[in-house]
Amino acid sequence: MNSPIIKCKDLSYSYSGNAALNQISFSCESAEPIGLVGPNGAGKSTLLSILCGFLQNISGSVTIFGHKPGSPALSGRVSALPQDAQLDPTFSVGEQLQFYARLQGLSTQQARLEVSRVLEAVGLKDALKEKPSALSHGMSKRSAIAQALIGKPELILLDEPTAGLDPVNTRKIRAIIAELSPATSFIISSHDLAELGRLCQQVLLLDKGMMSSMQLNAPEDNSPTRFFTLQMEPCPATELLAKLQQIAGIIQVSNPQKNEFIIEYKTDKDSKMDLKILTCISDNDWQYRQLSQGKTLEEKLFFDGV
Ligand code: ADP
């Protein structure tokens, strides 16, 4: 049987007696991208540093592909993109990536091919001879991702890969991750819950050094109820709530934020509940923006009590 990608058991870490991680346990078995969320100071960077093998004095146990972080057996199999990773401004992108590829034991010729492969993967083929200072913030981030891709690692840890990026570059980075998954596994620390909801099957939530893990899109077949999230154009909320609650099979409707409604309904394959909801909206001449199955990741993580 294959070892889990990551297995943590009762993992704790303290900085000078101050606990940053408190007996966290989780296992990542699937190669699909895994999200890591939590407020600032929750312990995300500490966990990523432990997984990289940078912090050693842990208590409890942690393994990656069955080996201790930082062990020679993981060399070339795991790489990381720290939050503020930047290439050296003095040398061209190509020279630096080539250097990192050589450090991984590739010959000059292999390194040249590998650099061209990773730059192509992040859409920066033309940046080979550029100095990092000539790149935009989004291009710099992608060049740092290119560095993390060198040698085709099986697991890549990305700390805030899209922080501060414009929507176009955010989308490009999301596409890079989606393209390389699941052949490459990713752990992505991010505050962007919509992005993690799109990319990830599992989300790890850290808060004050404590962790909970959640499988997204898990089959709900045994559950007696399901949820829709309905986003409306401006509409009379009280009236909409009342009308939706009259539909047979709807158990309850909440209005957690302006123009957003969470609808819980009885699981019944023949209910055509989506059609009933849309018909109700249309009959009342209201306009909807989006009707999606399940709850948003934000709702699941912070208002469901995982
Ligand atoms: P996050 O990445 O979720 O923002 P961190 O892992 O950086 O959280 O921090 C977790 C806790 O550990 C915080 O209370 C932070 O102040 C503390 N901490 C992080 N790095 C250090 C350090 N080098 N020395 C002392 N305390 C630290």
Side-chain angles (χ1 to χ4, degrees), residues 15-16 18-20 38-47 83 159 206:
Y15 294 97
S16 317
N18 295 321
N40 292 335
K44 303 182 295 298
S45 301
T46 302
L47 175 60
Q83 195 173 340
D159 196 359
L206 262 176

Side-chain angles (χ1 to χ4, degrees), residues 161-208:
T162 57
L165 293 190
D166 60 70
V168 173
N169 273 295
T170 298
R171 204 183 163 105
K172 281 182 182 159
I173 287 181
R174 202 187 307 135
I176 295 167
I177 295 169
E179 171 87 4
L180 295 172
S181 297
T184 308
S185 302
F186 289 90
I187 303 233
I188 307 158
S189 149
S190 176
H191 289 299
D192 186 339
L193 298 182
E195 173 179 289
L196 293 182
R198 281 197 190 106
L199 280 172
C200 301
Q201 296 292 322
Q202 180 181 6
V203 169
L204 305 170
L205 172 65
L206 262 176
D207 194 9
K208 299 191 185 84

